[in-house]
Amino acid sequence: MTKKVHPYIPNMVPKVKEEMLKVIGVENSMELYSCIPEELQLQEEMNIPKALTEYELRRHIEGLLKKNISTNDYINFLGAGCWQHFVPAVCDEINQRSEFLTAYAGEPYEDHGRFQSLFEYQSLLAELVDMDVVNVPTFDWGQAAATSIRMAARINGRKKVLIAATVAPERTKIIANYGSPELEFSNIAFDLDTGLMDLDDLKSKISNEVAAIYFENPSYLGFIESQGNEISVIAKEHDVLLVVGVDPISLGVLAPPSHYGADIVCGDLQPLGMHMNYSGGQAGFIATRDEETFINEFPSRLFGIVPTIKEGEYGFGDVAYERTSFAQREKGKESVGTQTALWGITAGVYLSLLGPEGMYELGQTIMQNSQYTVKKLNKIAGIQGSRIVSPFFKEFIVDFNDTGISVQTINEMLLEKKIFGGKDLSKEFPEYGQCALFCVTEVHTKEDMDCLIEALEDIVTK
């Protein structure tokens, strides 16, 4: 059967394909896949549906999307790495502008607008985390944490890394995958009641072979790690670098990690003006002091401001571009590739809109809402509003063990009441039994929180 030559797919002309195969020394294209074991190869024809017209395709996709139930339809108390925050309209208005939405790399002489926007974002976030240098965003918090740890290992030449056991399991997997096989990872135990890091366990595992300690504040489990200064002192005694992950939206009311000794700060930008998505809408950041030792280990782009040859005029461009994987290519310390620069611009718009006072008021509102919810939950028989006794920000572990009902069943019953419940922790943290991680932010009204309370009261008393 003669294969159709498609006008939009290059190199489909048989003669052109033959010439290409001859140059690389193979008889047919299937030889290029000879390294894949036969048992992993599909042995039947792929069931590819017929091509649809644009109108038919639109109707098909819209029909699929209508099956989804979103947070516009139900009240949402699910967080655990992707959180529902209010997104000001101006964030979408700016990031949908064509010069930002469709721009790719660009050069300083043609792309001042985007370069300046990213410089402004870096400056605003640096002020928020109280650090000097911030990179163009990575894909997500996981990559930012993994890269931060690899940076630390390159700086001191060590191979062991200590990670708090309260770090998000999915993020821990990303870090381990990104760091292997060069780095060796160990977990630091924590107290089940307080969530705080076990300093005795930390002291028993730290040595002059450890490159970095990594923990998150607020933690994945919601609590605030109050031992930052103590952890920093232990780290500095062994010349170990301290890497701290942080939810940036908490920094309107919480001290940034730099204030308790963090050498590298990382986190996710999603709370700063990004809608929740099934896979997009995430962007990680890395921040350090303005020291050459740290700057040279950033694999990603950094934008700076410099005077031009014209007096009083300034331009924006790459800082130490030669250190990046774009310049080093296969000799780079690690590959960066395409980054989420659009989300950096979005976060810059969000931060400039709120300002310091706005971030403070936002943080207060979130904490007031989460405290109100926990207080109400504690009044329900069999439910402990916060399993962990340490202060928390917007997320907290709700304990359902005494109800005799599994979290899975509770969440299914909440769905019937048009409520998305908390993240079931029974698999990730089985030591807590039937507990769930709930999230409350500024988008939750008193009516929303009371609706959750009423729903749970109804479920546990049936």
Side-chain angles (χ1 to χ4, degrees), residues 92-123:
D92 292 332
E93 183 67 28
I94 297 298
N95 68 26
Q96 293 300 303
R97 290 180 62 90
S98 60
E99 64 266 37
F100 296 142
L101 183 63
T102 62
Y104 188 60
E107 294 297 335
Y109 59 81
E110 65 177 3
D111 209 5
H112 278 180
R114 193 168 70 97
F115 281 20
Q116 180 175 358
S117 298
L118 287 167
F119 171 79
E120 301 294 355
Y121 146 72
Q122 292 173 178
S123 302

Side-chain angles (χ1 to χ4, degrees), residues 182-203:
E182 294 91 349
L183 303 181
E184 178 185 330
F185 298 93
S186 299
N187 284 338
I188 310 167
F190 68 101
D191 185 279
L192 285 176
D193 294 324
T194 65
L196 301 179
M197 185 184 294
D198 185 335
L199 298 186
D200 290 332
D201 190 48
L202 171 61
K203 291 175 182 177

Side-chain angles (χ1 to χ4, degrees), residues 220-411:
Y220 172 69
L221 298 179
F223 69 89
I224 296 169
E225 175 58 76
S226 58
Q227 303 176 121
N229 286 319
E230 291 91 333
I231 296 169
S232 177
V233 169
I234 295 170
K236 298 301 183 279
E237 287 174 351
H238 295 82
D239 293 324
V240 173
L241 293 174
L242 186 60
V243 182
V244 182
V246 66
D247 177 355
I249 209 165
S250 70
L251 298 181
V253 289
L254 300 181
S258 56
H259 288 193
Y260 44 86
D263 298 293
I264 305 176
V265 179
C266 61
D268 204 309
L269 296 172
Q270 186 266 325
L272 306 181
M274 275 143 263
H275 297 278
M276 295 188 297
N277 288 282
Y278 283 107
S279 61
Q282 305 289 122
F285 71 87
I286 302 171
T288 69
R289 298 186 293 273
D290 185 13
E291 296 176 13
E292 192 172 345
T293 301
F294 289 96
I295 292 173
N296 285 338
E297 296 307 327
F298 275 95
S300 44
R301 298 177 79 175
L302 304 170
F303 290 111
I305 182 172
V306 293
T308 69
I309 58 174
K310 183 178 180 181
E311 187 176 353
E313 183 180 71
Y314 294 88
F316 302 86
D318 283 285
V319 174
Y321 183 78
E322 65 279 359
R323 71 186 154 67
T324 68
S325 61
F326 300 100
Q328 296 288 328
R329 312 308 294 176
E330 73 278 4
K331 296 180 181 179
K333 296 171 182 176
E334 59 182 275
S335 179
V336 173
T338 303
Q339 295 174 300
T340 52
L342 183 66
W343 296 133
I345 294 171
T346 305
V349 172
Y350 184 92
L351 289 172
S352 63
L353 181 67
L354 267 72
E357 291 185 8
M359 291 296 289
Y360 174 69
E361 292 175 4
L362 174 61
Q364 279 192 318
T365 300
I366 291 172
M367 294 193 77
Q368 288 168 357
N369 284 353
S370 60
Q371 293 286 342
Y372 173 84
T373 305
V374 168
K375 184 178 179 180
K376 288 286 187 178
L377 286 169
N378 283 330
K379 295 181 179 179
I380 303 175
I383 294 179
Q384 186 176 353
S386 179
R387 171 65 178 81
I388 292 177
V389 298
S390 297
F392 52 88
F393 179 58
K394 65 184 180 186
E395 293 181 283
F396 45 90
I397 298 177
V398 181
D399 190 339
F400 295 105
N401 284 292
D402 291 341
T403 66
I405 310 173
S406 69
V407 172
Q408 180 179 344
T409 300
I410 289 172
N411 280 342

Side-chain angles (χ1 to χ4, degrees), residues 197-213:
M197 185 184 294
D198 185 335
L199 298 186
D200 290 332
D201 190 48
L202 171 61
K203 291 175 182 177
S204 71
K205 293 176 178 176
I206 198 168
S207 70
N208 293 333
E209 295 179 344
V210 174
I213 298 169

Side-chain angles (χ1 to χ4, degrees), residues 3-17:
K3 291 185 177 180
K4 182 180 178 180
V5 176
H6 199 287
Y8 301 138
I9 302 178
N11 303 321
M12 286 194 71
V13 178
K15 187 176 180 180
V16 174
K17 291 184 70 173

